[in-house]
Amino acid sequence: QIRYLQGDYSGCLTHFDAAVGSKFEEQALVYKGLAYMWLYQSTHAQHTFDKALEKHPQSVELLYNASLLAYRSEKYDEANGYINRLLAVAPDDADARLTKALIQTKRKEYVASNLLLREMLKIDDENASINYSIGVNYYHLDERDLACDYFRRARDQGHDQAQMAIRNYCKGR
């Protein structure tokens, strides 16, 4: 794990293999998959996560990182499958719920995404990422005034992309 934390992603891979079968196996497999992600070896990362999930099917960390890898690879249906499995294990996980909403947006499920995001906003109304994401969904739903309202909220909460969205989409609103 030290070599991983030092950024020696290639060098740490064999050390993670040595942990297979130990009480540290699950954590080692998470880090191994992440190391492959840092090395831009998505196929190896996916294989690592999938094999690890065969042994640890309810691992929140494995499911979350597998969903992020699929999302980053633009495999949104696959990402959705992982995140749904994660939410079955940890339904209140805020990161998983936000990831689910982002996947829904990529799948053009804007209304469903906004329902989830607005539910999350009730718990954390100062979350710039949630406000920005709601704005993105309203933009795609052609609700431009609402989109701009949420972009402004996100900007006021320090979200960097919100300022660009306001400049590009909210002229005269």
Side-chain angles (χ1 to χ4, degrees):
Q1 186 176 359
I2 297 295
R3 291 179 80 169
Y4 174 86
L5 295 173
Q6 292 175 334
D8 181 12
Y9 304 118
S10 295
C12 70
L13 292 171
T14 56
H15 295 283
F16 292 135
D17 287 337
V20 172
S22 77
K23 66 180 182 177
F24 304 108
E25 176 182 69
E26 181 181 338
Q27 194 65 38
L29 292 170
V30 169
Y31 278 111
K32 183 177 180 181
L34 290 173
Y36 279 126
M37 286 174 68
W38 279 107
L39 293 168
Y40 297 97
Q41 295 182 17
S42 297
T43 303
H44 290 301
Q46 191 66 58
H47 178 75
T48 299
F49 290 137
D50 288 340
K51 285 296 195 185
L53 283 165
E54 289 175 10
K55 290 183 172 183
H56 309 280
Q58 295 190 330
S59 170
V60 170
E61 284 187 275
L62 286 167
L63 289 165
Y64 183 72
N65 286 296
S67 73
L68 289 183
L69 176 60
Y71 182 91
R72 190 176 90 179
S73 303
E74 298 182 1
K75 297 176 182 176
Y76 303 119
D77 291 338
E78 216 174 284
N80 193 53
Y82 289 119
I83 211 69
N84 285 339
R85 286 174 58 191
L86 191 160
L87 287 168
V89 174
D92 295 326
D93 185 299
D95 290 330
R97 295 177 80 204
L98 181 56
T99 301
K100 172 70 176 179
L102 295 175
I103 292 167
Q104 288 172 319
T105 297
K106 290 294 187 179
R107 293 177 66 186
K108 299 181 178 171
E109 299 169 2
Y110 307 119
V111 173
S113 177
N114 263 3
L115 286 172
L116 179 55
L117 290 165
R118 291 176 65 85
E119 185 180 305
M120 294 175 68
L121 204 57
K122 291 177 187 174
I123 298 166
D124 185 5
D125 67 343
E126 295 297 316
N127 187 311
S129 294
I130 294 172
N131 280 299
Y132 178 78
S133 297
I134 292 172
V136 168
N137 286 327
Y138 276 131
Y139 177 82
H140 288 295
L141 291 167
D142 205 28
E143 296 282 349
R144 303 300 159 92
D145 289 335
L146 284 170
C148 291
D149 288 345
Y150 281 94
F151 289 149
R152 286 186 191 94
R153 288 181 196 181
R155 176 204 56 207
D156 294 346
Q157 295 164 340
H159 197 285
D160 291 338
Q161 289 179 309
Q163 186 60 45
M164 186 174 16
I166 291 166
R167 189 172 39 253
N168 291 336
Y169 308 123
C170 300
K171 292 181 179 121
R173 292 185 190 276

